[in-house]
Amino acid sequence: MGTFRKRPIRYPLFVLSIFGIVTFVLLCIWNIGIGIGYGVGFVLLMAYTWKVEKITFEETEKHIESISFRMKKVGEEALLEMPIGILLVNDQYEIEWSNPYMQNVLNMENLVGEGIVNISDDIYVLMKTEETNEDTITLRDRKYRVYYKKEENLLYFFDVTEQIAIEKQYYADSTVIAILFVDNYDEITQAMDDQPRSLTNTLVTSIVNDWAAEQGIFVKRISSDRFLAVLNESILMELEKKKFAILDTIREKTAQKNMSLTLSIGVGAGSSSLVELGELAQSSLDLVLGRGGDQVAIKQPTGKLKFYGGKTNPVEKRTRVRARVISHALRDLIQDSDQVFVMGHKNPDMDSIGASVGVRKMAQMNDVKGYVIINFEELNGSVTRLMNEIESKSDFYEHFLTPEEAATKMTEKSLLIIVDTHKPNLVIDSHLLKLAEKVVVIDHHRRSEDFIENPTLVYMEPYASSTAELVTELLEYQPKRAKINMLEATALLAGIIVDTKSFTLRTGARTFEAASYLRTNGADTVLVQRLLKEDVDTYIERSKIVQTVKFVKPGIAIAVGEEAKVYDSVLIAQTADILLTMKDVGASFVIAHRSDGKIGISARSLGEVNVQLVMEKLGGGGHLTNAACQVESNSIAGVKKYLEEAINEVLEGSSES
């Protein structure tokens, strides 16, 4: 605008005028008549040009003034009439000016001098926060997107109520896919005649269809024991509020017909891709079945997991078909390998060592070299005694290797078998997992989210009392090229006895069958008792912890070790076992410092409280009746507080990870 008012077009006109005058003088000198004619024409032309320039300037200036006036008016109207809230705030967080729209929003005639804190705490927090300059807040039941310009102390408010409502509706209508699996359906119905089987089939279908119709879910039976369900997020939220009551319904209604049928549900949610939803649902179902069934897992693309149910112990499978199939598959893998390495979990117990010894025997039965990986510095009393027996009375002590020795021997054709755990961070040496091309997992714990990547073969049966029981069954179907000796059978039997607390917990018919097989093959029960003996000092230490027991809820007992004392992890577990044998104790938790600098929690239950879910909330895992975790903390009191919160959450009915 300033450049225009200097009228720059006049400069070339001045030059042209001077040039015309010079030309006129020269023409007059040469020929007076031609000079006068040229002069008259040039004057007329220049007069017209200057007049046009003046008119153009005046009209343009009027147009610019008109636009400036209109722009100013539009700016004022935008400031005062547009549906955008504006607040000008001083350094004391008081309002200095507001537009009419903001007055209408807050239903106040005069906002000047009003403190921001009185309007909204959220706005005050936004102005005080350095990290962000925008937020969504609620004013008078409506949602506003607030932008804060720190330099001018200006706040802009945009109404996004409808936008957020649409986003919520979109989320609520998002598709969710679920796969429902009827646990133990084939085993229960295979011995039935056609009519009872048909009635059972109809009962299950009727229960699921009635539930689906009540909730507004589309469900389709895709096989004798599987259903496919399609629903949306809003329905899923309602099911979560009810803690998936269908689990209890199908368990109770089939129990009335003398059938122990339960339901497992895998849910895929949080993705716009139907293919991904299906994969998430199947992955969730695999996780649920690995945890023993009778529960629900909801999985998001981010890996976030929620669990519901898991109130009952896994039902023991009466048929050994799966054990035979797994044993034959394992035989083929062993025979295709040049060496077999067996590895259990850190701080191995009798089950881990016994199962490792049993798997090494499988390799020997297939004429393949087998080695047990062990950290000799982590052995406790009973395992140390077993290792001493093996060293003095057997010829396979040389087949026990340290992780470093195993790493030097391992080749591309080697097979690594993990026993009694499925978590990569719990194995004796996780580096060996990366070295091995083929990995097999044999475990009896409920499956958790943290799982060994890409195993070649997985045999996980949460119903089993111990990994030693599973390995014993697998041994029965291996080639009989080498007979199980007394120490190998005794190690396996000791693993079963320790994990069942002398056949009192998690013991099924197949547990006794496995024990009978081992006894037939020379297992020495007297040697087992000698291996499991404890010293008087350990007994006294355990008694001191028991003296601290407190009931945080009816039937739920918590005992703690001394703050300044380190306890053996086995002693912590034994104390939890002892508490469970006492009157009025349905679940026991023992908290104490461990030698690795962490605080350990051992949890035991008679089945009414799922201690696995409690321990998962604190980063651990295990079984419904037997679980543990390790917490990075220096304070037993602090860990106890977290434990009590986890117990309360689980008792309310859900678990999230």
Side-chain angles (χ1 to χ4, degrees), residues 185-431:
Y185 179 85
D186 287 338
E187 288 191 19
I188 287 176
T189 58
Q190 67 181 359
M192 291 181 176
D193 294 332
D194 290 344
Q195 186 176 1
R197 185 184 295 115
S198 177
L199 291 173
T200 302
N201 189 39
T202 303
L203 175 64
V204 171
T205 304
S206 174
I207 294 171
V208 173
N209 284 341
D210 289 348
W211 167 75
E214 180 185 340
Q215 302 296 332
I217 301 170
F218 170 78
V219 67
K220 180 72 175 176
R221 191 165 195 159
I222 53 179
S223 68
S224 60
D225 54 6
R226 285 177 187 260
F227 296 82
L228 177 67
V230 182
L231 55 153
N232 60 31
E233 286 282 355
S234 60
I235 295 174
L236 180 61
M237 288 173 65
E238 288 299 316
L239 295 177
E240 290 186 67
K241 287 179 183 176
K242 298 174 183 176
K243 314 301 180 190
F244 284 86
I246 180 66
L247 299 179
D248 298 325
T249 303
I250 201 164
R251 190 189 317 113
E252 292 165 3
K253 288 191 175 182
T254 56
Q256 292 170 6
K257 305 290 183 181
N258 296 319
M259 294 177 289
S260 57
L261 288 175
T262 55
L263 197 64
S264 294
I265 305 177
V267 181
S271 173
S272 58
S273 167
L274 295 178
V275 174
E276 187 176 16
L277 287 175
E279 292 171 349
L280 289 170
Q282 185 60 57
S283 173
S284 300
L285 182 62
D286 293 342
L287 192 57
V288 165
L289 296 177
R291 293 163 61 90
D294 189 28
Q295 52 193 291
V296 180
I298 303 171
K299 195 170 188 179
Q300 303 273 353
T302 58
K304 183 180 178 183
L305 274 165
K306 291 182 182 178
F307 294 105
Y308 294 88
K311 299 176 182 176
T312 59
N313 264 317
V315 178
E316 181 184 36
K317 294 178 174 61
R318 290 191 292 268
T319 175
R320 289 193 178 193
V321 174
R322 178 166 163 76
R324 177 171 52 81
V325 170
I326 292 290
S327 185
H328 288 171
L330 186 56
R331 177 196 64 196
D332 294 341
L333 284 171
I334 291 173
Q335 291 176 354
D336 290 340
S337 306
D338 61 348
Q339 301 169 98
V340 174
F341 295 89
V342 193
M343 181 165 61
H345 54 75
K346 296 173 183 175
N347 300 304
D349 54 13
M350 284 301 245
D351 187 31
S352 178
I353 293 293
S356 298
V357 168
V359 173
R360 191 212 68 87
K361 189 66 179 181
M362 285 188 214
Q364 186 183 357
M365 288 176 165
N366 288 280
D367 294 329
V368 176
K369 290 181 180 178
Y371 301 97
V372 177
I373 299 169
I374 192 169
N375 188 337
F376 291 92
E377 296 177 359
E378 293 181 345
L379 305 184
N380 59 50
S382 58
V383 175
T384 302
R385 286 190 284 273
L386 173 62
M387 292 302 298
N388 291 337
E389 288 286 332
I390 292 173
E391 184 177 10
S392 60
K393 297 181 181 178
S394 77
D395 58 354
F396 63 90
Y397 182 77
E398 62 189 31
H399 291 264
F400 285 84
L401 304 177
T402 64
E404 293 77 17
E405 292 171 334
T408 60
K409 283 179 172 286
M410 195 173 285
T411 68
E412 290 184 357
K413 286 195 68 179
S414 298
L415 175 66
L416 177 62
I417 301 177
I418 305 299
V419 296
D420 204 28
T421 185
H422 58 267
K423 295 185 176 184
N425 61 322
L426 288 186
V427 298
I428 290 174
D429 189 344
S430 58
H431 175 65

Side-chain angles (χ1 to χ4, degrees), residues 19-37:
F19 180 76
I21 292 170
V22 171
T23 304
F24 170 73
V25 171
L26 292 174
L27 283 173
C28 285
I29 294 171
W30 176 64
N31 189 313
I32 190 69
I34 294 174
I36 292 171

Side-chain angles (χ1 to χ4, degrees), residues 309-313 446 553-557 580 585-589 603-615 623-627 646-648 650-651:
K311 299 176 182 176
T312 59
N313 264 317
R446 290 190 177 208
K553 283 186 176 296
I556 299 178
L580 199 60
V585 177
S588 61
F589 299 87
R604 301 291 184 269
S605 167
L606 292 176
E608 293 180 3
V609 178
N610 190 337
V611 293
Q612 177 202 5
L613 297 182
V614 178
M615 292 296 95
H623 286 278
L624 181 146
T625 58
N626 184 332
I647 292 171
N648 290 331
V650 169
L651 292 180

Side-chain angles (χ1 to χ4, degrees), residues 613-650:
L613 297 182
V614 178
M615 292 296 95
E616 283 181 340
K617 285 188 171 295
L618 298 175
H623 286 278
L624 181 146
T625 58
N626 184 332
C629 74
Q630 293 84 47
V631 183
E632 295 277 2
S633 177
N634 296 320
S635 168
I636 287 180
V639 172
K640 183 180 178 183
K641 180 182 177 183
Y642 292 138
L643 173 61
E644 291 177 9
E645 291 173 356
I647 292 171
N648 290 331
E649 288 181 27
V650 169

Side-chain angles (χ1 to χ4, degrees), residues 173 184 200 451:
D173 291 341
N184 274 12
T200 302
F451 197 82

Side-chain angles (χ1 to χ4, degrees), residues 406-645:
T408 60
K409 283 179 172 286
M410 195 173 285
T411 68
E412 290 184 357
K413 286 195 68 179
S414 298
L415 175 66
L416 177 62
I417 301 177
I418 305 299
V419 296
D420 204 28
T421 185
H422 58 267
K423 295 185 176 184
N425 61 322
L426 288 186
V427 298
I428 290 174
D429 189 344
S430 58
H431 175 65
L432 295 175
L433 290 173
K434 299 174 183 176
L435 292 178
E437 292 288 329
K438 297 177 292 183
V439 178
V440 172
V441 177
I442 304 173
D443 191 16
H444 72 117
H445 295 102
R446 290 190 177 208
R447 182 167 177 164
S448 66
E449 183 184 359
D450 190 15
F451 197 82
I452 291 169
E453 288 186 9
N454 302 319
T456 307
L457 181 67
V458 176
Y459 187 35
M460 287 185 65
E461 296 291 357
Y463 72 81
S465 68
S466 56
T467 310
E469 177 188 328
L470 295 175
V471 171
T472 301
E473 289 186 347
L474 296 177
L475 276 166
E476 295 182 47
Y477 298 103
Q478 293 294 315
K480 299 297 185 286
R481 295 172 187 161
K483 189 177 184 301
I484 302 175
N485 64 37
M486 182 274 292
L487 267 177
E488 290 164 340
T490 301
L492 284 162
L493 182 60
I496 294 174
I497 288 175
V498 167
D499 268 27
T500 59
K501 306 299 174 284
S502 299
F503 300 99
T504 59
L505 293 176
R506 298 192 311 279
T507 306
R510 287 171 65 171
T511 310
F512 289 107
E513 290 171 10
S516 175
Y517 172 80
L518 294 171
R519 188 74 181 91
T520 303
N521 281 273
D524 187 344
T525 54
V526 176
L527 177 57
V528 171
Q529 292 301 314
R530 196 162 71 244
L531 293 174
L532 299 180
K533 279 180 178 292
E534 61 180 346
D535 55 61
V536 175
D537 291 338
T538 301
Y539 186 88
I540 293 171
E541 287 296 330
R542 206 167 55 218
S543 299
K544 288 179 180 177
I545 298 177
V546 171
Q547 289 176 359
T548 68
V549 68
K550 301 286 184 184
F551 285 87
V552 293
K553 283 186 176 296
I556 299 178
I558 297 180
V560 297
E562 296 177 23
E563 281 284 6
K565 192 166 186 176
V566 173
Y567 294 85
D568 184 77
S569 58
V570 175
L571 186 142
I572 300 172
Q574 290 173 341
T575 308
D577 291 329
I578 292 294
L579 280 175
L580 199 60
T581 64
M582 297 184 178
K583 184 182 176 184
D584 298 328
V585 177
S588 61
F589 299 87
V590 176
I591 311 169
H593 287 283
R594 291 162 47 99
S595 57
D596 57 7
K598 298 179 182 179
I599 291 180
I601 306 178
S602 279
R604 301 291 184 269
S605 167
L606 292 176
E608 293 180 3
V609 178
N610 190 337
V611 293
Q612 177 202 5
L613 297 182
V614 178
M615 292 296 95
E616 283 181 340
K617 285 188 171 295
L618 298 175
H623 286 278
L624 181 146
T625 58
N626 184 332
C629 74
Q630 293 84 47
V631 183
E632 295 277 2
S633 177
N634 296 320
S635 168
I636 287 180
V639 172
K640 183 180 178 183
K641 180 182 177 183
Y642 292 138
L643 173 61
E644 291 177 9
E645 291 173 356

